[in-house]
Amino acid sequence: MSEEPDTAVSSRTERKALEKAKLLQRESERKIFRLVGRVLKKPEAERSEEEAGVLLLHRDTVEELSKRQVRRNVLKRKQEEVFDDAEELKSKVRQLAVAVKQASHLVIYTGAGISTAASIPDYRGPNGVWTQLQKGRTVSSSDLSKAVPTFTHMCIRMLHKEKLVCTSCSPVREYVRLFDVTERTSLHRHTTGRRCSHCGGELRDTIVHFGERGTLEQPLNWKGAAEAAKMADVIVCLGSSLKVLKKYACLWCMNRPASKRPKLYIVNLQWTPKDDLALLKINGKCDDVMSLLMEELNIQIPAYNRADDPIFYLASPLGPEEVKSHSREIIAPPTGLEDRSADPEEQTEVTSVQGGWFGRGYGKGMKKKKKAA
C-alpha cells in the first residue's frame, strides 16, 4: 500500500521529464531550421567553411527546406497571371470557335473572373479577396447596385439567344429584388428578414457568402446543371479558378473514359487544377477572348441597355410591410418602366427566373430546404 503514492509520483515525474525533453527537442529543431535557412539564403560562393559544414551535418534539414522552397515556387507560379501574345490568342480563339460551331451541346461554366471588368473583385486573382486577405490587407466592399453586365455577360446572353448553349435548365421560383438583399445576411446567416407572401416562410439570399465552403446543402438547380453536363460535348470555362467546381465529378463526366468526355476549353489567366485535362488553355482576359470569339462566330453583341434588362419586369415588388425593411439603394428602372415593374399582369408572362449556378444557402446540418429570396 505504501508503494502506491511513490509509484504515482514517479509516473508524474517521468511524464513531466518526457514532455520537457520533447519541448527541448522541438526548440533544438527550430534552431537548426533557422540556422540552416540563413545559410541557404546565402550564395554558395559566400558561405564560410563553418557554414558549409553546417549544411553537411544537417542534410535532412537541408532537404526538407529545399522541398518547402520548391512547393512555394510552384504555388507562386500557379498564382501568376499569364498572357498569350496577340497572335497566339487569335489562333487559340479560332480553335475555340470551331469547337463552338461543331458542338451539339455546349455548356459554359463561369467564375468571378467574368465580372472583374465591372469592378467586382474575384477571389484568387492578384487583387482578389483571398489574395488580399492572405497578405493581411483589408477587402473593400463593392457597390453592386452600380455594376452592369460585362461584355462577356452579354456574349453569353447572345450565345443563349442564338441557341448555341444549353437551354435545358429548369426554372425555379425566386423573389428578385431591385436592391442588395444581403444587408442583414452574413457568413452562415442567410435569412433576409422578409417572408414569402404565399407561405410565410423565411426568405433567404441565394449566394454563398465569403468564407463558406464544404457544407452547402446543394447548389440551386443542381439537377439541371448535372443533366446539362451529362449531355455536353463541349465545355467552356470562363474566368474560374475551378478550385470549387473541380470537386463535382459529375460536371466533368469523370465516370467516362477520357476519350468520351466533353472537350474542355479553359479561359483563365492563372493555373487551374483542370489545365492538364483541357484540350486548350487560353491565357487571356474573358472580355478579350469573347470579343475575338464573337468575331469568329459572326455574332453582333449589343451594348448593355438597362431598358432591356429583364430584372426590372421580373422583380418582385415589396409588400406594404416590407417597404422599410432595407436601407440599401434601389436600382431605379429606366423612364417608362416604373409602372411595368409593378404591374402584376405583366409579371404573369414570366412565371419565374431561369435557374443558374447559385448557392441555395449555407447551413450546417440543415435538412429542410427553404424558399430562396
Side-chain angles (χ1 to χ4, degrees), residues 255-273:
N255 59 337
R256 302 181 196 169
S259 60
K260 295 188 180 298
R261 295 172 194 162
K263 296 176 182 177
L264 177 61
Y265 296 81
I266 298 175
V267 180
N268 207 56
L269 292 173
Q270 294 175 306
W271 171 90
T272 82

Side-chain angles (χ1 to χ4, degrees), residues 190-205:
H190 288 262
T191 55
T192 66
R194 287 171 285 275
R195 292 185 173 275
C196 175
S197 59
H198 298 283
C199 69
E202 291 182 326
L203 296 178
R204 301 165 60 84
D205 65 26

Side-chain angles (χ1 to χ4, degrees), residues 54-90:
V54 168
L55 298 184
L56 288 173
L57 181 62
H58 302 289
R59 291 178 181 176
D60 291 345
T61 303
V62 172
E63 184 178 353
E64 175 60 27
L65 288 174
S66 298
K67 288 180 180 178
R68 292 182 185 182
Q69 186 60 48
V70 169
R71 288 196 292 268
R72 282 194 292 269
N73 291 339
V74 169
L75 180 60
K76 186 177 180 180
R77 285 198 299 272
K78 288 180 176 180
Q79 292 175 336
E80 291 175 351
E81 290 190 337
V82 178
F83 291 83
D84 291 332
D85 61 48
E87 288 304 314
E88 185 178 11
L89 189 65
K90 288 181 180 179

Side-chain angles (χ1 to χ4, degrees), residues 4-24 26:
E4 289 182 4
D6 293 339
T7 302
V9 170
S10 175
S11 179
R12 284 196 297 271
T13 303
E14 289 176 359
R15 285 200 302 273
K16 288 184 178 179
L18 183 60
E19 290 173 0
K20 184 176 180 181
K22 288 181 179 179
L23 288 173
L24 291 173
R26 284 197 290 269

Side-chain angles (χ1 to χ4, degrees), residues 9 27 49 156 187 191 272 274 291 309 324 361 364 366:
V9 170
E27 181 59 31
E49 291 185 8
I156 296 174
L187 184 69
T191 55
T272 82
K274 290 291 183 180
S291 177
D309 195 330
K324 296 183 180 181
K364 289 186 176 180
M366 186 167 59

Side-chain angles (χ1 to χ4, degrees), residues 81-150:
E81 290 190 337
V82 178
F83 291 83
D84 291 332
D85 61 48
E87 288 304 314
E88 185 178 11
L89 189 65
K90 288 181 180 179
S91 175
K92 287 183 176 181
V93 171
R94 280 195 289 270
Q95 296 178 58
L96 175 60
V98 171
V100 171
K101 289 176 183 178
Q102 296 178 346
S104 299
H105 295 278
L106 171 66
V107 171
I108 296 179
Y109 298 153
T110 63
I114 72 168
S115 300
T116 53
S119 300
I120 299 174
D122 56 15
Y123 287 95
R124 296 175 176 86
N127 299 310
V129 176
W130 283 120
T131 306
Q132 297 302 312
L133 288 178
Q134 287 175 343
K135 293 180 179 179
R137 300 173 182 172
T138 56
V139 179
S140 58
S141 58
S142 301
D143 187 351
L144 300 183
S145 65
K146 299 292 192 297
V148 298
T150 65

